Amino acid sequence: MAVRAGVVVTGTEVLSGRVTDQNGPWVARQLLEMGVDVAHITVCGDRPADLTAQLQFLADQRVDLIVTTGGLGPTADDLTVATVAALCGRELQLDAELEQHIDAIVQRWRSRMSTAVDSEPLNAGIRKQALVPDGAQSIAPTGTAPGVAIPATGPLPAILILPGPPRELQEMWPAALESAPVAAALAARSEVRQSTIRAYGLSEADLAATLRTAEVEVPEFGDLEITTCLRLGELEMVTRYPDSADAAYAKLSAQVAETHGRQIFSTDGSTIDDIVATRLSGHLIATAESCTGGMIAARLTDRAGSSAYVTGGVVSYSNEVKSDLLGVPAEMIAEHGAVSEQVAASMAEGVRRRVGVDIAVSTTGVAGPGGGTELKPVGTVCFGIAMADRPTVTRTLRLPGDRASVRALSTTAAMHMLAAALA
Amino acid sequence: MAVRAGVVVTGTEVLSGRVTDQNGPWVARQLLEMGVDVAHITVCGDRPADLTAQLQFLADQRVDLIVTTGGLGPTADDLTVATVAALCGRELQLDAELEQHIDAIVQRWRSRMSTAVDSEPLNAGIRKQALVPDGAQSIAPTGTAPGVAIPATGPLPAILILPGPPRELQEMWPAALESAPVAAALAARSEVRQSTIRAYGLSEADLAATLRTAEVEVPEFGDLEITTCLRLGELEMVTRYPDSADAAYAKLSAQVAETHGRQIFSTDGSTIDDIVATRLSGHLIATAESCTGGMIAARLTDRAGSSAYVTGGVVSYSNEVKSDLLGVPAEMIAEHGAVSEQVAASMAEGVRRRVGVDIAVSTTGVAGPGGGTELKPVGTVCFGIAMADRPTVTRTLRLPGDRASVRALSTTAAMHMLAAALA
């Protein structure tokens, strides 16, 4: 890949770990999908010297484009444009048209504010946001902060300056790509393909063994850039390759499918959530959750349009709710314990009957840190799937990690059980 | 602050935006709380040249300590230790005792594997993980990968190498701090205090105005390092300062409290989740969720020990479930619409009665992208709080953003309504 880029994320709240950065990963994904090689992401606080050092570092690494995020607000600690302009030796000029544009946006916003705001600092802020370095192109704001695209300057690469709020940045992205400085920087990029295989219940070691075999048997294996990543029990294998390596990837993916077909659930980029949503079309689903406490329902309803198949569910955290709302017999809980396949089955059947749907999923387990026993240690989770005209299926897993890990792994396991039941 | 640190996060899956990094923010928070100034976080893929460039950059920035995360696995693409050793000009030596220690861990893990694993690659991997640079100190693994602490080498600072899995890294952190190379690098750090004020429903502009006033009125305001951050409607103001600025911070926080007391909900670091959990002590709570789809229940049950006060809840996504499980009259839904304060009140009262608890919270709204009307556009969310022996309280908010934003803002709004009701 000929064209390289670096991303600089600014903001003390990100550097200090109080806010999770969404922009670096998002920009990196966009660039990679376009065939641009992202070499570095760096994070700095709101200190001009540190920002300058990172920009200079990326320039020294000979990237063709730097994308910065954040630091475009109206206040004094928002310094990105001034810092970049100084590094490039470009004077800041007031763009009167841009100033009017921002002013109109701020006036609209101001008219909805309950409290009075001083005009003077407000106007100073607007003027500051309308400053554009000499020879740069501004990117129209979707919030109040415009972006700036600066052409390559001597040894410095093209620099694209975007605001920090993820929604603003993402909405401005298409216009930013079309700006002359960015388009010129990315002109030489080569198209790459990216293919993803996802498996559930496959170990990294087993996939690594298959890849070692493929390395010997697949011609042009070296043209395939493979990364694997294990996350919540799902193993993802992403391969990037030029058009010329199409046949090599076809051979590799056939070998992986042959060896691990039982664990592979996606070869077209779809996630387990996509698959469950597709398979739920024409069905109605309800949930009965104990240890996952609503996470499965929240995940199912995360998708636009999910009201077509999600009717609802019950979070039966206490035994009383299991009995009162789901009809789980108190004697069953007393005999087998709340964490048992019997109770999981009864919960799923109970919510299915109660809500009148054709498929229901249940969880009951020990999320920890307390509540574990020798027979049912922390991480023991029972699942149930009840469907119309079919025997109820139950399963017990021992999931590793702390409370958050057990709950997240349980939610993902339930999604995979749903996908299998609906296949 | 005299002591500066940088963090290098390695891993193509992080650099390419497929996995959200947790380590950089976590390490930064630990260091900041100890009084170490974190200047840079950098992210690179599994390419030695890029890793070397980032390490050299941080050394050039004169940090006293570099912490790296990831790249310690047994396979060939895990290159951190070898790359750092090469940069420091230190030979790798096999630590036989460490090799035995890792081997024992791997044997235990292997005995639980279902599939057979080749011995030779496995042993090669163990040997690789037991290589320690000359003069470095190994940090005992909590997974299979040991950490390494390397003393400052000529112009290079001390380098602490930790594994990528967040749980392993976090468990190894205390031992890493005690290692001689890290302890020496951090010896000169000065104690700093960090205080946090959290407000809900306060705008950044209003707080900025208060801070501008304080800048003039508070002596030694310049010793206070203030960052503000708005997230899900909560405005967080974090101030770091030396002991000597205690009085300045006391004056500042008093001014902020005087001006914005109504919106401030925390001055001691506690989150709204902490506050709700504390106030729920001695109560029993249930939820009735429509647009949040289980997110409030999931958030309440996220905490260890929440079973003491969370009994459960109902996700009533469809109107039928609102009526059948919560007893919301169908005529009420027909007359006022499912998104109405009447229905929100009826949902909260319904679940409270049905489950037999003393407080219940409900949500019903238009999360979007579809379903909006002129009167009830996307983002319109009605909330209800039903309590024993008190009139039910309802409220309607218009929340900005996309589906995920509306759902997240609704969940946080519900937490604040709960905290207020229980105050």
Side-chain angles (χ1 to χ4, degrees):
Chain A
M1 280 172 296
V3 177
R4 278 160 56 93
V7 182
V8 177
V9 176
T10 74
T12 301
E13 71 283 6
V14 176
L15 181 68
S16 60
R18 289 203 308 280
V19 168
T20 302
D21 171 51
Q22 297 175 40
N23 292 327
W26 190 88
V27 169
R29 278 199 303 274
Q30 308 310 309
L31 291 171
L32 282 166
E33 280 170 19
M34 293 172 60
V36 177
D37 183 18
V38 177
H40 302 274
I41 298 175
T42 64
V43 183
C44 67
D46 301 320
R47 289 187 285 208
D50 292 342
L51 173 56
T52 301
Q54 293 191 351
L55 295 166
Q56 191 60 59
F57 165 67
L58 293 174
D60 293 345
Q61 295 299 308
R62 308 250 200 112
V63 300
D64 303 284
L65 173 70
I66 297 174
V67 181
T68 75
T69 73
L72 303 188
T75 52
D77 59 340
D78 287 303
L79 295 155
T80 305
V81 173
T83 305
V84 173
L87 179 68
C88 297
R90 292 172 184 267
E91 295 284 330
L92 290 173
Q93 309 286 354
L94 183 68
D95 181 330
E97 205 178 313
L98 190 58
E99 185 184 16
Q100 280 178 17
H101 185 74
I102 301 169
D103 188 58
I105 294 170
V106 172
Q107 294 307 336
R108 275 204 303 279
W109 157 78
R110 216 178 149 185
S111 66
R112 292 187 307 190
M113 293 267 302
S114 48
T115 49
V117 176
D118 244 352
S119 276
E120 190 26 47
L122 208 61
N123 292 337
I126 294 168
R127 263 197 312 281
K128 172 181 172 294
Q129 291 186 296
L131 292 172
V132 178
D134 263 341
Q137 192 173 326
S138 72
I139 318 282
T142 56
T144 68
V148 176
I150 305 175
T153 314
L156 293 171
I159 302 179
L160 170 63
I161 301 173
L162 290 174
R167 215 149 40 97
E168 289 182 36
L169 178 145
Q170 293 172 22
E171 285 174 9
M172 289 162 73
W173 185 252
L177 289 184
E178 283 173 16
S179 71
V182 176
L186 301 184
R189 75 177 193 278
S190 54
E191 296 295 327
V192 291
R193 307 191 175 204
Q194 179 167 312
S195 295
T196 303
I197 294 176
R198 292 195 173 91
Y200 183 67
L202 175 62
S203 78
E204 283 188 288
D206 286 342
L207 179 60
T210 304
L211 292 179
R212 275 195 299 276
T213 308
E215 194 168 356
V216 180
E217 295 177 0
V218 174
E220 300 183 86
F221 182 89
D223 289 349
L224 307 173
E225 187 188 320
I226 302 168
T227 49
T228 63
C229 173
L230 183 66
R231 188 171 30 174
L232 294 177
E234 294 181 349
L235 185 61
E236 188 180 81
M237 170 180 140
V238 176
T239 310
R240 288 163 55 77
Y241 53 96
D243 289 3
S244 60
D246 264 359
Y249 182 72
K251 185 133 203 268
L252 169 68
S253 59
Q255 287 204 359
V256 171
E258 198 183 316
T259 320
H260 307 294
R262 227 166 43 88
Q263 283 103 9
I264 291 171
F265 65 89
S266 164
T267 57
D268 63 355
S270 57
T271 63
I272 193 64
D273 295 59
D274 297 332
I275 292 166
V276 167
T278 304
R279 293 187 184 166
L280 276 173
S281 165
H283 293 274
L284 290 177
I285 186 170
T287 55
E289 302 182 63
S290 185
C291 65
T292 50
M295 292 171 74
I296 299 172
R299 185 150 161 185
L300 288 170
T301 57
D302 191 39
R303 299 177 84 81
S306 53
S307 56
Y309 48 83
V310 179
T311 54
V314 169
V315 177
S316 55
Y317 221 55
S318 71
N319 290 345
E320 291 68 35
V321 173
K322 287 183 184 73
S323 297
D324 291 353
L325 285 188
L326 297 174
V328 179
E331 316 80 61
M332 181 189 279
I333 298 176
E335 187 180 346
H336 301 285
V339 178
S340 61
E341 297 199 11
Q342 289 87 347
V343 168
S346 179
M347 286 170 64
E349 289 164 0
V351 83
R352 195 182 83 71
R353 210 172 37 236
R354 195 75 181 72
V355 176
V357 293
D358 58 348
I359 181 164
V361 59
S362 67
T363 59
T364 177
V366 189
T373 62
E374 202 177 333
L375 273 176
K376 293 170 186 172
V378 168
T380 306
V381 181
C382 301
F383 299 82
I385 301 263
M387 291 180 80
D389 308 322
R390 276 212 226 168
T392 297
V393 178
T394 59
R395 200 171 158 192
T396 302
L397 296 177
R398 293 229 178 140
L399 300 165
D402 60 10
R403 182 177 180 87
S405 165
V406 169
R407 282 162 48 101
L409 286 167
S410 298
T411 304
T412 297
M415 296 298 283
H416 282 277
M417 288 187 71
L418 278 174
L422 291 161
Chain B
M1 281 172 296
V3 177
R4 278 162 56 94
V7 182
V8 177
V9 176
T10 74
T12 302
E13 71 282 5
V14 176
L15 181 68
S16 60
R18 290 203 307 280
V19 168
T20 303
D21 171 50
Q22 298 175 39
N23 293 327
W26 190 88
V27 169
R29 278 200 303 275
Q30 308 310 310
L31 291 171
L32 283 165
E33 280 170 18
M34 293 172 60
V36 177
D37 183 18
V38 177
H40 302 274
I41 298 176
T42 64
V43 183
C44 67
D46 301 320
R47 289 186 287 207
D50 291 342
L51 172 55
T52 301
Q54 293 191 352
L55 295 166
Q56 190 61 59
F57 165 67
L58 293 174
D60 292 345
Q61 295 300 307
R62 307 247 201 116
V63 300
D64 303 284
L65 173 70
I66 298 174
V67 180
T68 75
T69 72
L72 302 189
T75 53
D77 58 340
D78 287 303
L79 294 156
T80 305
V81 173
T83 305
V84 173
L87 178 68
C88 297
R90 293 174 184 264
E91 296 282 330
L92 291 174
Q93 309 287 354
L94 183 68
D95 182 330
E97 204 178 314
L98 190 57
E99 185 184 15
Q100 279 177 17
H101 184 73
I102 302 170
D103 188 58
I105 294 169
V106 172
Q107 293 308 336
R108 275 204 302 280
W109 158 78
R110 215 178 151 184
S111 67
R112 292 188 308 191
M113 294 265 302
S114 47
T115 50
V117 176
D118 245 351
S119 275
E120 191 26 47
L122 207 62
N123 292 337
I126 294 168
R127 263 196 312 280
K128 172 180 171 296
Q129 290 186 298
L131 292 172
V132 178
D134 263 342
Q137 191 172 329
S138 73
I139 318 282
T142 55
T144 68
V148 177
I150 304 176
T153 313
L156 294 171
I159 302 179
L160 170 63
I161 302 173
L162 290 174
R167 216 149 38 97
E168 289 183 35
L169 179 145
Q170 292 173 22
E171 285 175 7
M172 288 162 73
W173 185 252
L177 289 184
E178 284 173 15
S179 70
V182 176
L186 301 184
R189 74 176 195 276
S190 54
E191 296 295 327
V192 292
R193 306 192 175 207
Q194 179 167 312
S195 296
T196 303
I197 294 176
R198 293 195 172 92
Y200 184 68
L202 175 62
S203 79
E204 283 187 289
D206 286 342
L207 179 59
T210 304
L211 293 180
R212 275 195 299 275
T213 308
E215 193 168 357
V216 180
E217 295 178 0
V218 174
E220 298 185 89
F221 182 89
D223 290 348
L224 307 173
E225 187 189 319
I226 302 169
T227 49
T228 63
C229 172
L230 182 66
R231 188 172 30 175
L232 294 177
E234 293 181 349
L235 186 60
E236 187 180 82
M237 171 180 139
V238 176
T239 310
R240 287 162 55 76
Y241 52 96
D243 288 3
S244 59
D246 264 359
Y249 182 72
K251 183 130 203 267
L252 169 68
S253 58
Q255 287 205 358
V256 171
E258 196 182 317
T259 321
H260 307 294
R262 227 167 43 88
Q263 283 102 8
I264 291 171
F265 65 89
S266 163
T267 57
D268 63 355
S270 57
T271 64
I272 193 63
D273 295 60
D274 296 332
I275 292 166
V276 167
T278 303
R279 293 188 184 165
L280 276 173
S281 166
H283 293 273
L284 290 176
I285 186 170
T287 55
E289 301 182 65
S290 186
C291 65
T292 49
M295 291 170 73
I296 299 172
R299 185 151 161 185
L300 288 170
T301 57
D302 192 39
R303 299 176 83 83
S306 52
S307 57
Y309 48 82
V310 179
T311 54
V314 169
V315 178
S316 55
Y317 221 55
S318 71
N319 290 345
E320 291 69 34
V321 173
K322 288 183 184 71
S323 297
D324 291 353
L325 285 188
L326 297 175
V328 179
E331 314 80 63
M332 181 190 279
I333 298 176
E335 188 180 346
H336 300 286
V339 178
S340 62
E341 297 200 11
Q342 289 86 347
V343 168
S346 179
M347 286 170 64
E349 289 164 0
V351 82
R352 195 183 82 72
R353 209 172 38 235
R354 195 75 181 73
V355 176
V357 293
D358 58 349
I359 181 163
V361 59
S362 68
T363 60
T364 177
V366 189
T373 62
E374 203 176 332
L375 272 177
K376 293 171 187 171
V378 169
T380 306
V381 181
C382 300
F383 299 81
I385 301 261
M387 290 180 80
D389 310 320
R390 277 214 226 165
T392 296
V393 178
T394 59
R395 199 170 159 195
T396 302
L397 297 178
R398 294 229 177 140
L399 300 165
D402 60 11
R403 182 179 180 84
S405 165
V406 170
R407 283 163 46 100
L409 287 166
S410 299
T411 304
T412 297
M415 296 298 284
H416 283 277
M417 289 186 69
L418 278 175
L422 291 161

